Amino acid sequence: MSSEWSTISLQEFIHLQRGHDLPADQRSTGSIPVAGSQGIVGFHSESIGIVPGLTIGRSGSIGATQYFEDKYFPLNTALYAINFLGNHPKYAYYYFQNFDFSSYDSGSVQPSLNRNFLYTAIVNIPPLCEQKAIAHILGTLDEKIELNRKTNETLEAMAKALF
């Protein structure tokens, strides 16, 4: 089955762009998550980026990957997908969660990812139908993990209330 996979450059898999400047004092009240290099750092009233989308930490903390089903605003400390080039967005998210970004660190004092340097990576990518199947299975497992986490929180709260 792996013979059907394509060996391509990362630039042929996905197009990324550096996020945008948006200091905290320039954010307007809203419910759209602002994505930094390590996660959600606030909220804003406007979004940038395709949906679904993903961000990858590019400065300070490199490689932290986030997936967005809805609108988001990527900060300049992250790279974000501007085109999945026909690949499944959720598969790309899972792919990058297991990608070794440390080999592409171009920072001297602070870790940093340069999109053009990252594009030189050679990746093995399955056909779209397999990408969808892989993303579905991993997504289902993630949903079950989250459900179990919430169940544990509820049970812990009940135990505290009883004792």
Side-chain angles (χ1 to χ4, degrees):
M1 187 181 296
S2 64
S3 63
E4 298 173 12
W5 290 37
S6 300
T7 302
I8 56 176
S9 70
L10 193 126
Q11 185 174 11
E12 296 172 285
F13 174 55
I14 190 171
H15 283 174
L16 300 167
Q17 179 174 313
R18 181 180 173 173
H20 304 274
D21 292 334
L22 184 64
D25 64 351
Q26 292 181 13
R27 297 177 195 160
S28 51
T29 305
S31 60
I32 295 170
V34 176
S37 64
Q38 285 191 309
I40 306 300
V41 297
F43 295 89
H44 188 51
S45 62
E46 297 177 33
S47 68
I48 295 178
I50 59 173
V51 176
L54 72 84
T55 62
I56 300 168
R58 142 195 112 71
S59 179
S61 177
I62 62 172
T65 308
Q66 300 174 86
Y67 183 78
F68 295 92
E69 292 280 350
D70 295 312
K71 296 177 181 179
Y72 64 100
F73 189 104
L75 285 179
N76 61 356
T77 58
L79 296 171
Y80 71 102
I82 58 172
N83 191 333
F84 289 99
L85 302 175
N87 293 292
H88 193 274
K90 194 88 177 217
Y91 174 81
Y93 163 73
Y94 286 119
Y95 185 87
F96 285 122
Q97 281 193 319
N98 295 295
F99 187 84
D100 181 14
F101 288 98
S102 63
S103 304
Y104 299 92
D105 179 0
S106 61
S108 56
V109 175
Q110 177 172 303
S112 183
L113 285 178
N114 178 307
R115 167 187 64 177
N116 294 325
F117 186 39
L118 191 58
Y119 277 164
T120 65
I122 301 300
V123 297
N124 292 314
I125 305 299
L128 184 59
C129 61
E130 287 183 46
Q131 289 181 30
K132 289 177 181 179
I134 292 167
H136 175 73
I137 291 167
L138 294 175
T140 301
L141 290 171
D142 276 350
E143 289 170 6
K144 179 62 175 165
I145 290 167
E146 182 61 18
L147 179 61
N148 286 344
R149 188 191 63 73
K150 287 180 180 178
T151 300
N152 285 341
E153 285 179 2
T154 301
L155 291 173
E156 286 177 18
M158 290 170 61
K160 286 179 183 177
L162 287 172
F163 300 105

